[in-house]
Structure formats: C-alpha cells, structure tokens
Amino acid sequence: MMPNMEPPSDFTPTPPTPALPDRHQAAARSVWVSVVVNLFLSTVQIVVGFFSHSQALIADGFHSLSDLFADFIVLGANKVSRAAADEDHPYGHARFETAASLALGLLLLIVGIGMLWAAARKFIDPSSIPKVHIIALWTALITLVSKESLFRYMLAVAKRVNSTMLIANAWHARADAASSLVVALGIGGNLLGYAFLDPLAAALVGIMICRTGGKFTWNAMAQLTDRGLTPAETEAIRATFATTPGVKDVHDLRTRTMGDEILIDAHLLVDGWMSVSEGHYIAADARRRVLATHRALDVLVHIDSEDDQPGEQLADLPTREKILAQLQMALETTAADASSQPLPPVLIHYLERAVDLDIFVQPDDAEALRRLQEALPKLRQELPQLGQIQIWQKTELP
C-alpha cells in the first residue's frame, strides 16, 4: 500500500505541557538525524542510478538532496525563532517557523516541477529510455524502508514538542517515502520490459510532490496573512473568557496565528459601576486563564462597561476635565473663597447615554455638603447629559 503523503486533518498541535522537553533541542536533534540519513541516501541513489541507467532513481536522489536544503532551512528557523522579543519583533520571532514552512512548501513545488520536466523529455523520445539494472530496484526498496522509518521518527518528535514546522518537515519525509515506492514500482516495471514505467514513475513522483508542496505553501501563507482559528477553537477560547468571575459577556473576539501559537484580542463586558482597579483585576484573571488553557502567546483584553456605547455616542458625553471644570465654576457661585478649596473626589460612570456621578465629602464637613447641594442645579444646567448624582459622606472603618 502506498504511504499517505498528506498530514491528517487533525494534525494541529495540541497545547504543550510543562513536562515536555526543550522543544528546540529536540527539533535540532531530529533534523540532524534527517540530514545524515538524506546525505547518505542521496549519494547512494545518484551513484547507483547513474550506473544502473535509472532516471527515476537519479531523480529520487536529487529529491533527497533537496531534503538537505530543507533541513538546513529548518535548523536556521529553529535557531532564529528562539530569539527573544526585540524592538523590531515585539511579539518575538515565532513566525519565522511559519516562514520556514512556506520555504519547505515552495521547495517541494520546485522539485516536483523539475521531475515532471525531466520525465516529459523522456516521453518525447521513447527510444532514449534504457533498461535499468536490478541493483536499482534493491536500492529503491532500501531507500523506501529508510525514509518511512525516518518519517515515523520525525513525526513522533514533532508531536512531542508541538511544532508545526517539524510536522511539515516530517511529512516531507513521508512524501520521500511515497516517491521511493513509486520509483521502485517504475523500476520493477522497466525490468519486466515496460521501459516507459521508469520515467512515468518520475512523473508521478513529481505530481505527488507538487500537490504536497502546494498544500504546505497555502497553509503557511494563510498563517502569514493572519488567518484566524477554527470556529470550534474560537468558541473554546470564548468559553474560557466567559467563565471568569465578573465577566458578563464576551464580544469582538479575534485570533491570529504566530508560529505554533496564537494572539488573542477580546472585549469583556463587566458591571459599569465597577472600579477601574476591579475591572483591571478581572481582565488580568481572564488573561491568565486563557494563557493557562490555550496555546496563546499573548492575550489583549479590553474592558467594557455594562452599557457599552459605540465610540461616536461616547464622544458626545463630557470628559472628566470638563465635568470637574463645570463643578468648580458651580461651587464658586456658592462661596467667595470656593476657588481656593480643593474639589471633592468624584467617581464618574458613563452609562445609558448619560453620565452619573458619585461625589465624596468628609462626614463632618457640613459646609462642603451645603455648597455641593446648592451647586448641583447649576451643574445640571451646564451639563444636560448628567444623570444620577449621589453625594457620599466618607467613613473610614477601623
């Protein structure tokens, strides 16, 4: 049975756990194993293919050489992606892994097109197709077993360290195993007297590699263009936000990929009478829960009041500076020396298309309370957007 060249539909990495080994060391080790294996196989395939007159085996050998270039691309990206965030890359360098996956896909496309071109030239002149030696068949079979074993090893490492880039490289090795199987069948057919099967095998390998390379290129481009997560993954993140105590609703939830991880933006609806510090506490708690549950690199949380209004409606409401200035002017009409007195603390609530105020005075300051009660009608006259105004006498408990 021909090995499957395509990654399964559910090959998206699962969130890592603290018990995992260092992913970059494991990645480098698996890639170096691939380098050694491919260097040996490509040398044997090209030499044996040349002396046994097998175009398919030579093409597969050059295909193995392309794997060496791919391995060095992975090694370079693995090193760069470990770099910490800097001024040019404030979110870190994880997206270099996605760029490496894109390079792998393009490399597969180039190799596949090259195989198709070489095979087409043979079909144009069938008399130029020689009969191959049986040693080519044995070499192809040994190569098949070696590459399938390499694929299984690399895929196991990629899943253990949760790396999309390494998964792509592992399936690249599976594509090599599939091509070696087709090459073996083509060589076998050539030995049985069907000479055209050797270049036909090379053409089939080219088609399979182009198809796989196209898929990897498409997926990498989708990540580089900030494709969001699947609806199921997004709803799971939304549920994590929603279960945070104090969160009434979640909206404007957006996600985008960053290498193997994701960046998340969300607006959380909370009680509009809540203090700024409590709202910040809820935001920090929600962020911590998402980071601990999902494969998120960073989470940006925006807190909305319970009756959040669109920006153009909020723009019609007076700012804190304007409210305090009008309050100061209103107080000046109640006492000659009011301008020298500090304003009392004011808590402002932007709710229901109006502005509610909580004003705090000392419990023994009857004069301040009197001036506020006299100033409030003037304040409402100047600021018709004001809603409920409450005056509180501060009391400190022991």
Side-chain angles (χ1 to χ4, degrees), residues 36-56:
V36 172
V37 171
N38 282 312
L39 181 60
F40 173 78
L41 290 177
S42 61
T43 302
V44 172
Q45 286 176 300
I46 293 174
V47 172
V48 174
F50 177 79
F51 287 104
S52 63
H53 308 294
S54 173
Q55 178 193 359

Side-chain angles (χ1 to χ4, degrees), residues 53-55 118-131 190 195-196 198-199:
H53 308 294
S54 173
Q55 178 193 359
R121 294 179 60 186
K122 289 292 184 182
F123 283 118
I124 292 174
D125 184 15
S127 62
S128 64
I129 304 175
K131 184 176 181 179
N190 182 284
F196 70 93
D198 186 63

Side-chain angles (χ1 to χ4, degrees), residues 59 62-67 105-117 172 202 205-206 209-210:
F62 281 105
H63 184 201
S64 297
L65 279 180
S66 71
D67 295 343
L106 293 174
L107 182 60
L108 284 171
L109 284 173
I110 293 172
V111 171
I113 292 172
M115 288 184 175
L116 288 172
W117 174 254
H172 188 185
V205 169
I209 292 175
C210 284

